């Protein structure tokens, strides 16, 4: 039998995994994780999105996913953001630092800025 404290610790430890599986899918963030993307740092970008979504409490509305190669190796890591009724927004040459701006300006602020996130 586990204590409430132990169960709470397990829940918090696994919260990043939940952000990838659950959510209402209001917004989908898809990180391209083909071989070229991984070599360019896509794993760190994916981790930064999961952590940022959880830290900002967005996990009920933002679903973080990964995909395979999208065929634009020179622009990796690539992130696509989907919202119902809106055009897909693609961010290229992403870094964990840029992820913070995408979360703040796009996911929270509602202002996509593919050309501004540099």
């Amino acid at each position: 039998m586990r204590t409430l404290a132990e169960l709470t610790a397990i829940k918090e430890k696994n919260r990043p995994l939940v952000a990838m599986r659950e959510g209402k899918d209001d917004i989908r963030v898809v990180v391209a994780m083909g071989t070229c993307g991984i070599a360019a740092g896509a794993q760190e970008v994916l981790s930064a999105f999961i952590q940022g979504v959880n830290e900002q409490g967005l996990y009920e509305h933002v679903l973080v996913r990964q995909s395979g190669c999208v065929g634009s190796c020179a622009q990796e890591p690539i992130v696509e953001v989907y919202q119902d009724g809106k055009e897909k927004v693609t961010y290229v040459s992403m870094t964990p630092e840029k992820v913070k701006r995408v979360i703040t300006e796009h996911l929270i602020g509602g202002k996509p800025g593919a050309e501004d996130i540099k």
Side-chain angles (χ1 to χ4, degrees), residues 26-112:
D26 296 337
I27 301 173
R28 274 185 305 131
V29 175
V30 180
V31 180
M33 294 287 289
T35 306
C36 54
I38 292 170
Q43 182 62 53
E44 292 81 8
V45 170
L46 177 67
S47 296
F49 266 110
I50 293 168
Q51 181 179 355
V53 164
N54 283 318
E55 286 175 355
Q56 295 296 325
L58 302 173
Y59 46 85
E60 291 185 14
H61 302 287
V62 177
L63 186 62
V64 179
R65 291 273 190 218
Q66 62 187 39
S67 71
C69 180
V70 294
S72 298
C73 301
Q75 297 179 317
E76 292 286 358
I78 297 173
V79 174
E80 297 174 327
V81 179
Y82 298 87
Q83 285 181 271
D84 284 340
K86 296 186 178 181
E87 244 182 83
K88 171 185 77 173
V89 176
T90 302
Y91 295 96
V92 299
S93 302
M94 288 297 295
T95 65
E97 294 75 29
K98 292 178 184 179
V99 168
K100 294 174 188 174
R101 286 193 58 204
V102 171
I103 290 172
T104 302
E105 296 174 17
H106 186 162
L107 304 184
I108 295 172
K111 296 180 183 175

